[in-house]
Amino acid sequence: MELLKLLNEQGDFMLRNAQRYPGVYFPLVNEGGMISSVTPALAGDCKTGQNTYLLAPASSETLHESRAARNFWVRIQGYEPWSVVGQSAPQQAARFDPQGEESVLTGGLLWQQVSRTHKASGLLAQALSFVPAGRDRVEILQVRLANTGPKPLEVTPIAAIPMYGRSADNIRDHRHVTSLLHRVQLCRHGLDLRPTLTFDERGHKPGTVTYRVWGGDEIGGPPQGFLPLVRDFVGQGSYDWPEAVCCPETAPLMKAGDTAQGGEVVAALYFAPVVLAPGASRRYQIVLAVDDDPTPYLTPEAVAAALDRTKAFWQSAASMSFHTQNGDFDAWAKWVGIQPTLRRICGCSFLPHHDYGRGGRGWRDLWQDSLALLLTNPKQTRRDLLSYFAGVRTDGTNATIIGSKPGEFKADRNNIPRVWMDHGFWPLLTVELYLNETGDDSFLLERQPYFRDTLAHRGEGAPLRQPGAPMSGTVLEHLLIQAVTAFFDVGPHGHMRLRGADWNDGLDMARERGESVAFTAAYAGNFDTLAARVERLAAQGIKTASLPTPLAGLLNESWGGYPGMYRALLSYCGEMEQDCPRTDVSMDALANRLRAMRRYLRQHIRSTEWVGDGADLHWFNSYYDNSGRPVEGLFGDTVRMMLTGQVFTLLSGTADDAQARQIIRAADWYLCDPSRGGYCLNTDFREVKLDMGRMFGFSYGSKENGAVFCHMAVMYAYALYSRGFGAEGWRVLEQLYSQCADFARSKILPGIPEYFDERGQGMYPYLTGAGSWLLLTLQTQVFGVRGHNGDLMLEPKLLSGHFDTGGTAQIRCYSAGHDLTVRYHNPMGLDYGSYRIRTVTWQGGSLSGDGKRIVIPRNALPADGPVTLDITLISCK
């Protein structure tokens, strides 16, 4: 039987036997910074930041290890205590009993409800969890108790929420000592916990944060008593069989106005007993809050209104939608649609698998998350993109930590001068999408200051005594500096040095002699893009660019390879540490130079890095290790191949058409594993390569060492589509989707994870750049809806299987300044490559086509309101 079933086009789903999957979790977040995670058993945590955890920090292991989870007990007269979420010792013991209780998880964007029935009495319990949309830092748990049996039931509800109330650091740093700082004030509806201090031996500070758990009954009435201290609630029992629930007559209940201090805290809220007649029900609202007031959410009516707002907000956040022959895929894509927003709120931290970092996003995340955000709100994203350039240094590197305010950047969180060599690649990729969507060429001429700190010579010089003189430049200048400095930062084999790592953070042990062929190819594509943009500005009458004289000089340096190019780069870095004069450079000459740099890189890679398996399969080597050796090809009887180099040689055009076809064959043979989601990041090297990176210390099939890494797999699909390989590109996406959708294998809720491990299980769900890239690929490549210098281009690459039984495939999206519904009509059931566009019609206009793509002038479409485009496809013959 299907375990997880998608219920409708909004993405709602149902998971049966949810009690058997304690590691499955759900994110509950809002724009105010409330970030929670919750499982079917209500395990997980709740916080607003690294130092403000209301519930104890959760990792993927503690989800099943810890019994200190949200709970709601019911004492049913005549029966033993019962947990509405299965978190009692007897229920846990019977979890795999075929005759035991079944819990059903129903969920949507972003809410969940767990239902189970007490079989002996007929009491049905439904536990609804969500974080309301908006700025209030609250989490809501509403429990509905309904008597489905034939007899009246007397029930006594008891909520039990363990409160942690301090920094995540204190899990291992003075946990007991910091519990002694706790001060509890019992209010009418619940508990207020405010520690006296934030404990830090470098300097303690007064406690200023109040953690709250309040409750209300069917009419918003308060509990009748409380137990605030764990030692009184648990007694001689445990969280899953607490003495104060099993023996409530001896529990030392407290009342509003009382206080408690010292020790771990639990919000045990005892509600008055109630008799439920057959068919009757009662609802109880439990509100967790950090500093904010829970009062507005204590009644059922208030919770219902907040839930409606929350559903509407997240449906709006997933504004891109699809209609194909596979309704489950269309619904699943809704979950992918919210993942860029989740990354913006959570960064890469604060969910159970993401148990590292202290919040915020890294440099690469800013630009890649903006890809999807650009497809929904380019006007808002313009301001953000401009502010991001304030993180670029004049040596082409960048700040690695993003502050909480727009344009605020910091050096590495550990004060380690680490340089990721790929960081200069991503900004232009995102800016190019913005320019095509808007036609806003003036963006390239906006000015922004450079980031100044004491890091010198791309991290390889002695730290400066003080930051360099303030300096600013245009966005175009920032982009040129990032590309040109990378071009000259080469190793002995003439490829860009790997430095601290590239996109693959696991390649972090080849700092001295490592080279990234993969991203050398990627940068080659950027030189082509930059040249085209420079030529476009020149055509608009901008004939020169005022560049820092050291940059103009570096552009004119010869390309004699290593070490001459590297010495020229170091000389440039030294000159740029202080404010320097400027030189006017002809835009035509600049474009020619950039194209020449692109040709040089492509030809160098084509002539030196084409490797094979000793038989008839060939592909590009991606890297050189710290011993100066290529890492791919045939090594004894072991074939070593990596996906990254194939992605960027395809995407940049470095691989010619014949090479592209050979890459596809090799990737299908060596990297594709359909049993775990498709294309792996690499073959098994069977070596712990300490001269390459930590990834080779991971077990094969995990993380960066041979997992099906969804981000790079989706980029592989995008690259294939960009080269016209539609069927091959869809095969990549379809395998990823099929793995995600098969809950028995993936064991994740809807959405795309960071990777699938050696067993095919989805790992690190929700917070992954794969979400942005999948949305970008579906809109701009599969459905072919994208901007072209501000106009709208349509170039579908849909397969015949994408169209419904009526021959229609549809996308709703935003592009070229318009809210669009784009409907492709394929009455002949033609496959990609066999059809062309005949006509495009919309209210008040039409265009005839005669090819596979058509460009609609931006001003030809209605200026206001949504626009529906109908495109008829006919045979190319």
Side-chain angles (χ1 to χ4, degrees), residues 397-696:
T397 64
N398 55 269
T400 54
I401 302 301
I402 288 77
S404 57
K405 300 175 183 177
E408 180 184 21
F409 293 92
K410 304 172 184 177
D412 186 85
R413 68 176 88 249
N414 300 313
N415 293 317
I416 300 172
R418 185 175 177 187
V419 172
W420 281 263
M421 63 80 60
D422 68 306
H423 277 188
F425 165 76
W426 305 104
L428 180 58
L429 187 79
T430 307
V431 168
E432 179 68 6
L433 177 64
Y434 170 77
L435 296 175
N436 274 319
E437 285 296 320
T438 64
D440 180 17
D441 297 312
S442 65
F443 179 76
L444 292 171
L445 305 179
E446 294 277 5
R447 298 190 69 82
Q448 187 64 281
Y450 291 97
F451 182 71
R452 292 295 207 182
D453 61 359
T454 57
L455 184 140
H457 293 75
R458 294 175 69 84
E460 296 193 331
L464 303 175
R465 293 183 179 180
Q466 59 185 16
M471 184 176 172
S472 65
T474 64
V475 168
L476 175 61
E477 181 179 301
H478 283 68
L479 292 168
L480 287 170
I481 285 176
Q482 288 181 307
V484 174
T485 54
F487 180 88
F488 280 87
D489 195 358
V490 297
H493 300 90
H495 305 290
M496 297 175 189
R497 296 173 62 210
L498 183 55
R499 295 288 195 138
D502 62 8
W503 168 88
N504 188 337
D505 286 341
L507 299 175
D508 58 350
M509 299 174 71
R511 185 184 301 270
E512 291 79 18
R513 299 181 65 190
E515 298 174 43
S516 176
V517 181
F519 274 90
T520 301
Y523 279 101
N526 273 10
F527 282 110
D528 218 14
T529 302
L530 276 171
R533 285 297 162 189
V534 168
E535 289 167 345
R536 182 171 169 83
L537 289 174
Q540 296 171 9
I542 302 170
K543 299 302 182 182
T544 61
S546 176
L547 302 179
T549 299
L551 177 60
L554 189 61
L555 277 163
N556 287 321
E557 283 284 345
S558 64
W559 307 333
Y562 182 87
M565 291 173 67
Y566 182 60
R567 284 199 294 263
L569 173 65
L570 294 181
S571 176
Y572 159 85
C573 291
E575 293 177 49
M576 291 291 283
E577 287 169 1
Q578 300 299 322
D579 200 4
C580 50
R582 289 182 168 268
T583 298
D584 287 339
V585 176
S586 161
M587 295 292 258
D588 290 339
L590 177 58
N592 289 337
R593 190 63 168 171
L594 294 171
R595 291 203 188 278
M597 296 167 93
R598 180 260 293 171
R599 289 192 298 270
Y600 171 82
L601 293 177
R602 286 185 181 176
Q603 184 55 41
H604 182 59
I605 294 171
R606 287 174 178 174
S607 62
T608 61
E609 302 307 322
W610 191 240
V611 299
D613 63 354
D616 66 342
L617 296 178
H618 297 84
W619 63 93
F620 282 105
N621 173 51
S622 301
Y623 296 99
Y624 283 83
D625 61 25
N626 214 36
S627 301
R629 301 170 301 188
V631 303
E632 295 181 56
L634 182 62
F635 292 76
D637 60 352
T638 301
V639 172
R640 295 178 174 181
M641 181 179 181
M642 304 182 80
L643 183 61
T644 310
Q646 318 325 311
V647 168
F648 288 107
T649 51
L650 287 169
L651 189 61
S652 65
T654 300
D656 61 30
D657 289 344
Q659 290 172 324
R661 285 188 285 271
Q662 292 193 60
I663 285 172
I664 293 169
R665 288 182 61 224
D668 286 348
W669 185 260
Y670 285 113
L671 298 179
C672 187
D673 183 353
S675 70
R676 54 191 185 102
Y679 290 82
C680 309
L681 204 52
N682 55 277
T683 57
D684 188 354
F685 281 30
R686 301 176 186 175
E687 177 187 357
V688 180
K689 278 187 67 63
L690 297 180
D691 60 354
M692 197 66 212
R694 67 175 187 253
M695 63 170 272
F696 293 103

